Amino acid sequence: MDALPLYALKFDPILKDKVWGGTKLKTHFGKQTDLPNVGESWELSGVPGNISVVNNGPLVGRDLNSLLKEYPHEILGKRLYDMHGPVFPLLFKFIDAALDLSVQVHPADEYAQKHHDSFGKSEMWYIMQADDDADLIVDFKEEVSKENYEQAVANKELGDLLNFHKVKAGDSYFIEPGTIHAICGGVMVAEIQQTSDITYRVYDWDRPGTDGKMRELHTQEALDVLNFEAPNDQYLNYDKQANSSNSVCKSPYFDTRYLPLNEDKKHDLSDTDSFVVYMCVSGQATIELDGVCTALIKGQTAMVPAAATEIVIKTDGVELLEVRVP
């Protein structure tokens, strides 16, 4: 087996047509597609049926799963490989909501493993752009009984129970499993989550999907996993110190930091037994690893393998989300 070529890997985006999707991923980020309503760009995915393919450097054309089988320790790190085997544990997306997404909830690991043989779905959002008066739904306004919730769903009055948050660029939220939530129209987010595609729809605004049929609701599954003991504070306060690594969200599944840089930065990764992913949310930069430079512009994502011990981020101005597994 040849040694893993060490450089920052970029991948072909996997674009998803959604009934609530829009055009910002094409107009803001230059994503090339003929899809009319692009709701999601899966930037880095190990979800079955949606495996990312490298689009730069000597590994171009290789898919993520084949690389994990050939170079598991070098890409994941020994610790993650020992935990999960050759499985990529996180999913990275950009999302453009032209219309409201369904009101939904995700399960935690135990329920997801039992019912879907899957990871659960903890996730976080970083707001990249928001139209005036745009909202997110995160949690109930106050603690609600299961009976009152069921009555509100039956009477199509669920909105009266939900907590709407006005948002702006730079806001960030951690969505724990069991939290009722929705991205509303006019919001574009970077989403970091466990590798899972499990969503339980509670309410879908009485609209048909892209095929003209009503999408399935998951009423009982949602009841099984919903946390009714709201409100919980899921808004993430974080520092934004220039040319520093600012902690945004540290969960058991991902450690996300915000890097606003206006100068070159040497980055020591020798104590990180994990891959590191960079999502570019503004500006542009070059990631230099082992003498190889990878350009990164707004709306692109790159992965630095766990075998890397040092990188240099070269920039005149960039905002990055840096993500690793703690």
Side-chain angles (χ1 to χ4, degrees):
M1 182 175 68
D2 295 332
L4 172 70
L6 268 187
Y7 66 103
L9 282 68
K10 294 164 66 175
F11 299 83
D12 290 327
I14 301 169
L15 302 176
K16 302 286 187 176
D17 192 41
K18 298 289 185 179
V19 68
W20 43 262
T23 60
K24 290 177 183 175
L25 293 175
K26 292 187 279 188
T27 58
H28 284 52
F29 293 164
K31 304 292 183 184
Q32 300 296 312
T33 178
D34 293 327
L35 296 175
N37 303 301
V38 185
E40 298 182 348
S41 175
W42 289 26
E43 295 288 299
L44 179 49
S45 167
V47 175
N50 294 274
I51 307 301
S52 291
V53 175
V54 178
N55 68 11
N56 71 320
L59 296 172
V60 66
R62 293 286 302 272
D63 72 71
L64 181 61
N65 277 5
S66 72
L67 292 176
L68 291 179
K69 289 175 183 175
E70 189 171 349
Y71 307 106
H73 290 180
E74 293 90 337
I75 292 177
L76 294 172
K78 184 178 184 304
R79 175 177 56 92
L80 289 182
Y81 177 75
D82 289 346
M83 288 171 62
H84 303 300
V87 176
F88 199 73
L90 298 180
L91 171 60
F92 297 83
K93 302 178 183 177
F94 292 120
I95 297 175
D96 170 26
L99 303 173
D100 297 348
L101 274 69
S102 62
V103 181
Q104 57 191 245
V105 65
H106 305 308
D109 285 341
E110 184 177 356
Y111 190 93
Q113 183 65 44
K114 179 178 178 181
H115 295 273
H116 305 280
D117 191 26
S118 168
F119 291 120
K121 194 171 178 183
S122 295
E123 63 189 20
M124 68 157 284
W125 298 331
Y126 174 90
I127 311 303
M128 297 186 63
Q129 185 270 335
D131 296 347
D132 292 341
D133 290 326
D135 295 296
L136 296 175
I137 295 170
V138 183
D139 229 326
F140 297 107
K141 285 190 287 191
E142 56 189 24
E143 186 172 338
V144 58
S145 70
K146 186 175 180 180
E147 292 72 27
N148 286 345
Y149 163 81
E150 290 183 289
Q151 184 177 5
V153 170
N155 295 336
K156 298 186 179 179
E157 296 172 346
L158 181 61
D160 295 341
L161 304 180
L162 300 176
N163 198 8
F164 288 80
H165 300 247
K166 296 293 180 189
V167 293
K168 63 185 184 303
D171 288 347
S172 196
Y173 290 82
F174 179 61
I175 310 300
E176 293 186 48
T179 302
I180 198 165
H181 65 277
I183 301 171
C184 299
V187 180
M188 187 161 58
V189 310
E191 181 175 277
I192 299 146
Q193 61 164 89
Q194 292 176 267
T195 289
S196 171
D197 198 26
I198 303 170
T199 293
Y200 299 148
R201 293 189 201 96
V202 173
Y203 180 59
D204 202 23
W205 312 108
D206 300 315
R207 69 183 170 207
T210 54
D211 61 358
K213 300 177 182 178
M214 303 303 287
R215 296 197 297 174
E216 181 183 4
L217 300 180
H218 307 93
T219 306
Q220 184 56 55
E221 294 93 334
L223 276 172
D224 289 344
V225 303
L226 270 168
N227 176 13
F228 296 103
E229 298 177 0
N232 298 304
D233 186 10
Q234 316 243 22
Y235 179 79
L236 298 168
N237 283 301
Y238 63 98
D239 293 332
K240 299 181 180 181
Q241 185 175 343
N243 301 311
S244 295
S245 177
N246 302 278
S247 179
V248 180
C249 179
K250 191 165 187 177
S251 79
Y253 307 103
F254 46 80
D255 176 0
T256 301
R257 305 174 190 183
Y258 170 68
L259 278 62
L261 307 177
N262 55 36
E263 62 186 28
D264 296 354
K265 182 178 179 64
K266 186 178 290 187
H267 217 35
D268 182 4
L269 301 176
S270 60
D271 63 346
T272 302
D273 188 19
S274 164
F275 59 87
V276 183
V277 171
Y278 292 93
M279 303 184 82
C280 185
V281 298
S282 178
Q284 58 187 7
T286 298
I287 299 175
E288 182 178 341
L289 168 57
D290 211 27
V292 181
C293 293
T294 300
L296 200 61
I297 63 174
K298 182 176 76 170
Q300 292 184 343
T301 301
M303 180 186 70
V304 173
T309 57
E310 181 181 271
I311 62 171
V312 178
I313 302 173
K314 298 181 176 180
T315 185
D316 292 325
V318 73
E319 295 174 80
L320 299 169
L321 298 180
E322 179 189 75
V323 185
R324 69 195 75 196
V325 179

